[in-house]
Amino acid sequence: TFTTTRSGNVVTTTRPNTEGAFSLTVPIDQSVSLAYLEVDPETDERIVQNGTPDIHLLTFVSDPPAVGDLGAFEIPEGQNLEITITDAAGDPIEDATVWVRSYDPETNAWVGLYTTTNTDGQFQFGDNDPGIEMAGPVQIDVEPDEEDDRIPEMAPFETLTVTQPESRTLRLDPVTVSGRVEAADISDTLVVALAEPDVIVSSILVSSEANDYDFTIQRNQVARLGAYQFDGTYTSPNGLTDIYAIETLTPQAATTVDPTPIPDGDVLEIQVEDSTGDPVPEAFVTIQHRRNDTTVPLTRSVDDNGEFRLGEARAGIEMTGEVEITATGAPRTEFSDEVATASLTVDGPETLTLTLGGDDSEDESPTVAEYADEDGVVRAAGLQNAFSDWAAEEIAASVLQSVFSAWQSGEPVDTTATSQLPQRELSPRRLQPETGTTETSHTMRPIEGDSGSPPR
């Protein structure tokens, strides 16, 4: 079965045909994760120990086009992952909700399955043997339970890459961390606790009336605390810095954090473009605020104009102090392997442009050899092609001059270091059909042999 999820909820499911091909219809204005889910086709019950993952993230689709074909996905071989949950004394915890997620470390997109532990504290589906089959990057965490004080809000959070049978035990041992944030208008401030890698595992909304916070955190677990200006949907432009690092701690006992003043912020505008200056829609931008060796992040995809914005607010984000910004191309686009990073100290309004593809543009420039024939000689047809490419601004004048010189000499040129000519494309556009849905088609084929790598 293939499924798409949005904000952790299943949108639609389908089954592939005998050739592995399938299609899904999803809302056109919503980003979704596409997942492979292993179930018994007759009973719809979970299958385990059959050699393929019980659930596997295929890709994350941001703002899907009207009709999209994402090509073929390969399902790697699954390995059994056994999980046990105990309390601080090492005794098993029954009926604890445990999530197992297949995820992409680059985008933090994920899909997951959860169940409650059995009497031995083990992760188990129904009458199946304990465990779950997984492959590639995996996250394990325990869902907080306000009625069970053995489970901290920030429970042990483990990540691993599954390439062979694994066994993991998470021991729950909570301690309390408390503090307060201060500002002229502290309303709609969200204080969060983050575990690696940049996963918010607990949060509390404070206000001018009650600006104290407290969390129960796993003893000896590294936790990063940060403050976000949050209006319930997006970070709100209220004059305060939108992301602010508070402190990193590893509590061994109950801990009180010193009061943290939240300063005013200045607007930082961010634009993502390619090497020709065209915007790169769907690119992901991660903004990290650094203070006292603590970093807290916020990630959003840019709009069709390549601009970073939060909801319906004006483009930009309110920041202050040391900031690191990283732009990455959306998965399965021509910029999927491109990354651009900038560091700056914000002490006034700033405008930043990040370029994807610029660093590799010189390495990918066409050479004289690409206009030569099979004997390495530039002839009249090659020279004519070079003139056409120069007129279309696909090559520099220096390349055209080199081609002209090679044509004049008639001598063979070096053909051992050619590169593909860049394809000039129109700026991406969004189609907006009246149906408000989009169809996405794929083909899946299984991998033969061992493979623990996630699909790209």
Side-chain angles (χ1 to χ4, degrees), residues 31-55:
S31 298
V32 294
S33 296
L34 185 69
Y36 167 87
L37 180 66
E38 185 76 14
V39 296
D40 186 322
E42 296 182 359
T43 65
D44 277 345
E45 295 180 354
R46 197 77 65 242
I47 297 176
V48 295
Q49 297 178 338
N50 69 337
T52 54
D54 290 343
I55 192 166

Side-chain angles (χ1 to χ4, degrees), residues 305-370:
N305 296 318
E307 293 180 326
F308 182 94
R309 68 176 64 246
L310 299 165
E312 301 300 325
R314 58 164 291 186
I317 184 171
E318 292 174 322
M319 298 298 301
T320 191
E322 295 184 25
V323 178
E324 182 175 287
I325 301 163
T326 301
T328 57
R332 306 181 78 87
T333 69
E334 61 178 308
F335 298 101
S336 60
D337 295 324
E338 300 289 347
V339 179
T341 301
S343 298
L344 65 156
T345 300
V346 179
D347 55 7
E350 295 271 1
T351 299
L352 175 68
T353 299
L354 294 171
T355 302
L356 296 181
D359 292 341
D360 297 328
S361 58
E362 293 184 2
D363 294 338
E364 297 178 355
S365 297
T367 64
V368 177
E370 293 180 80

Side-chain angles (χ1 to χ4, degrees), residues 183-264:
D185 180 11
I186 204 68
S187 60
D188 293 336
T189 297
L190 192 70
V191 178
V192 304
L194 299 100
E196 298 296 342
D198 291 342
V199 176
I200 296 176
V201 293
S202 188
S203 63
I204 183 170
L205 189 67
V206 301
S207 66
S208 299
E209 292 75 27
N211 55 354
D212 297 324
Y213 62 86
D214 63 77
F215 301 102
T216 54
I217 293 177
Q218 178 72 14
R219 189 185 307 271
N220 292 324
Q221 182 174 0
V222 177
R224 288 175 292 144
L225 304 183
Y228 293 74
Q229 299 308 308
F230 192 71
D231 66 4
T233 304
Y234 292 100
T235 300
S236 65
N238 63 350
L240 297 178
T241 184
D242 289 333
I243 316 170
Y244 198 70
I246 296 177
E247 187 170 331
T248 298
L249 43 83
T250 309
Q252 300 179 15
T255 302
T256 300
V257 179
D258 291 337
T260 305
I262 306 299
D264 294 338

Side-chain angles (χ1 to χ4, degrees), residues 82-404:
E82 295 184 354
I83 302 165
T84 303
I85 311 299
T86 72
D87 61 17
D91 296 325
I93 294 182
E94 184 180 5
D95 292 332
T97 300
V98 180
W99 276 92
V100 179
R101 299 182 173 101
S102 171
Y103 79 108
D104 179 359
E106 295 181 1
T107 63
N108 281 331
W110 60 269
V111 293
L113 294 173
Y114 69 92
T115 189
T116 55
T117 52
N118 61 20
T119 56
D120 295 321
Q122 297 174 311
F123 186 99
Q124 181 177 15
F125 287 120
D127 295 329
N128 292 314
D129 292 336
I132 180 174
E133 285 194 317
M134 300 296 293
V138 171
Q139 298 173 344
I140 307 170
D141 69 277
V142 181
E143 190 170 284
D145 187 343
E146 295 180 356
E147 299 179 358
D148 192 340
D149 57 11
R150 298 173 301 173
I151 302 176
E153 294 173 81
M154 187 173 177
F157 185 92
E158 186 160 350
T159 63
L160 68 157
T161 300
V162 176
T163 59
Q164 60 185 5
E166 299 275 359
S167 178
R168 289 290 191 273
T169 298
L170 277 67
R171 182 171 175 265
L172 308 185
D173 188 8
V175 296
T176 300
V177 171
S178 57
R180 63 186 291 117
V181 289
E182 300 173 341
D185 180 11
I186 204 68
S187 60
D188 293 336
T189 297
L190 192 70
V191 178
V192 304
L194 299 100
E196 298 296 342
D198 291 342
V199 176
I200 296 176
V201 293
S202 188
S203 63
I204 183 170
L205 189 67
V206 301
S207 66
S208 299
E209 292 75 27
N211 55 354
D212 297 324
Y213 62 86
D214 63 77
F215 301 102
T216 54
I217 293 177
Q218 178 72 14
R219 189 185 307 271
N220 292 324
Q221 182 174 0
V222 177
R224 288 175 292 144
L225 304 183
Y228 293 74
Q229 299 308 308
F230 192 71
D231 66 4
T233 304
Y234 292 100
T235 300
S236 65
N238 63 350
L240 297 178
T241 184
D242 289 333
I243 316 170
Y244 198 70
I246 296 177
E247 187 170 331
T248 298
L249 43 83
T250 309
Q252 300 179 15
T255 302
T256 300
V257 179
D258 291 337
T260 305
I262 306 299
D264 294 338
D266 294 293
V267 175
L268 171 63
E269 295 184 355
I270 303 168
Q271 172 83 27
V272 182
E273 61 183 33
D274 62 20
S275 58
T276 67
D278 290 332
V280 180
E282 302 182 17
F284 291 98
V285 170
T286 297
I287 302 172
Q288 293 197 90
H289 178 249
R290 183 183 302 276
R291 173 179 170 269
N292 297 335
D293 296 324
T294 298
T295 59
V296 289
L298 176 68
T299 299
R300 290 285 189 277
S301 57
V302 298
D303 62 18
D304 287 354
N305 296 318
E307 293 180 326
F308 182 94
R309 68 176 64 246
L310 299 165
E312 301 300 325
R314 58 164 291 186
I317 184 171
E318 292 174 322
M319 298 298 301
T320 191
E322 295 184 25
V323 178
E324 182 175 287
I325 301 163
T326 301
T328 57
R332 306 181 78 87
T333 69
E334 61 178 308
F335 298 101
S336 60
D337 295 324
E338 300 289 347
V339 179
T341 301
S343 298
L344 65 156
T345 300
V346 179
D347 55 7
E350 295 271 1
T351 299
L352 175 68
T353 299
L354 294 171
T355 302
L356 296 181
D359 292 341
D360 297 328
S361 58
E362 293 184 2
D363 294 338
E364 297 178 355
S365 297
T367 64
V368 177
E370 293 180 80
Y371 299 96
D373 62 14
E374 59 184 10
D375 297 324
V377 177
V378 176
R379 305 194 186 276
L383 179 60
Q384 183 177 0
N385 289 338
F387 268 111
S388 297
D389 290 341
W390 171 75
E393 299 182 352
E394 293 182 352
I395 63 172
S398 59
V399 177
L400 175 61
Q401 179 61 50
S402 298
V403 175
F404 182 80

Side-chain angles (χ1 to χ4, degrees), residues 16-32:
N17 61 22
T18 55
E19 297 179 351
F22 67 97
S23 63
L24 289 165
T25 301
V26 301
I28 195 167
D29 59 347
Q30 296 289 339
S31 298
V32 294

